[in-house]
Amino acid sequence: MPFTVATWNINSVRLRLDLVQRYLGEHAPDVLCLQETKCPDELFPREAFEALGYGHVAIHGQKGYHGVAVISKLPFGDVVRQTFCGIEHARHLSVRLEVNGRPLRLHNFYVPAGGDEPDPAINDKFKHKLDFIEEMRRVTSFAEPETSAILVGDLNIAPYETDVWSHKQLLKIVSHTPVETEGLLVAMQDGAWADLIRARVPMEEKVYTWWSYRAKDWLAADKGRRLDHIWGSGDLVPRLLGHSILKDARGWDRPSDHVPLSVTLDL
DNA sequence: ATGGTCGGCTCCCGA
């Protein structure tokens, strides 16, 4: 049975509720993970998703900043909201669900962006980002026995050369510096995660999920980066049926600067 | 050429 999990940095779930509704209506993933909801839990538009058949919603929000949510057609349990680096930011949420009898742990992450200056000695936000991905190494795909695992989210790092529009021009730009890309790949290796999008897209092919608001013509310039990711435990790789990166959504009215992406698995 | 544009209990900060 095909199971589709999607992830989208929505940059305010209340402002862009119509876009989320459109995405769910047109693409109907089984589970959608949101980041940057920027919404206190008591104001989260839960009912709007329930009305669309997404009766199971978990949120980890805070006022004004960050915030993650899991919106699901399928029931889930064992909701965990982890904090990282001892900092009380709403950047993680995980749930346990069962798809056709197969237990599945799903992690939803919003990794700190890291500011502009890629030097942890002078930029606390960059230090926080490096510490955060260091701590992510302990989030593994094999943590629970007999349980498959998926990790999605805005990881704010484009690890490979073909994950950015210009590798050379971005080497000193936060999101593509070697200390970040190497750190993220170590976290992926330590957790025995497989990059499910790169399992579908040849490494030679450029893939982006984010285009800056600042470009005057984002589509013509096409200076994107692959900041959003879907990782899975190794057992899921042979079960991959398809993937989608909805670049069109960047051109929707009042868009997020990130687009939704998903994988479909045969579970 | 070091800009530019978003969103949020907004006149700055984080992205």
Side-chain angles (χ1 to χ4, degrees), chain A residues 93-166:
Chain A
L93 180 59
S94 105
V95 303
R96 183 179 172 86
L97 56 162
E98 213 163 273
V99 185
N100 282 344
R102 172 188 295 263
L104 190 68
R105 169 62 61 179
L106 172 64
H107 291 278
N108 179 8
F109 271 96
Y110 176 49
V111 172
D116 289 330
E117 184 56 60
D119 180 351
I122 60 171
N123 176 5
D124 287 342
K125 290 199 281 274
F126 194 69
K127 181 180 189 315
H128 180 208
K129 184 178 197 177
L130 297 183
D131 291 346
F132 194 102
I133 58 174
E134 166 84 20
E135 206 167 322
M136 272 180 79
R137 291 165 61 172
R138 295 200 283 278
V139 179
T140 67
S141 65
F142 49 84
E144 294 162 280
E146 310 295 320
T147 305
S148 302
I150 295 175
L151 186 159
V152 308
D154 176 5
L155 305 186
N156 265 316
I157 296 171
Y160 300 121
E161 295 190 12
T162 48
D163 291 338
V164 291
W165 64 276
S166 169

Side-chain angles (χ1 to χ4, degrees), chain A residues 171-191:
Chain A
L171 272 170
K172 292 179 178 171
I173 302 297
V174 171
S175 74
H176 195 61
T177 65
V179 65
E180 294 170 82
T181 59
E182 288 161 16
L184 190 70
L185 293 177
V186 167
M188 198 181 341
Q189 284 156 17
D190 282 8

Side-chain angles (χ1 to χ4, degrees), chain A residues 18 41 51 75 100 120 132 135 141 148 202 204 219 222 226-227 255:
Chain A
D18 57 331
D41 288 350
N100 282 344
F132 194 102
E135 206 167 322
S141 65
S148 302
E204 302 73 42
L219 186 58
D222 200 26
R226 187 170 74 109
L227 302 181

Side-chain angles (χ1 to χ4, degrees), chain A residues 62-102:
Chain A
Q62 66 181 83
K63 190 168 70 176
Y65 301 98
H66 323 309
V68 289
V70 176
I71 292 158
S72 175
K73 291 183 180 181
L74 307 172
F76 54 70
D78 197 15
V79 177
V80 178
R81 296 168 180 83
Q82 247 178 277
T83 57
F84 286 76
C85 312
I87 296 175
E88 294 286 327
H89 286 177
R91 296 184 176 276
H92 169 268
L93 180 59
S94 105
V95 303
R96 183 179 172 86
L97 56 162
E98 213 163 273
V99 185
N100 282 344
R102 172 188 295 263

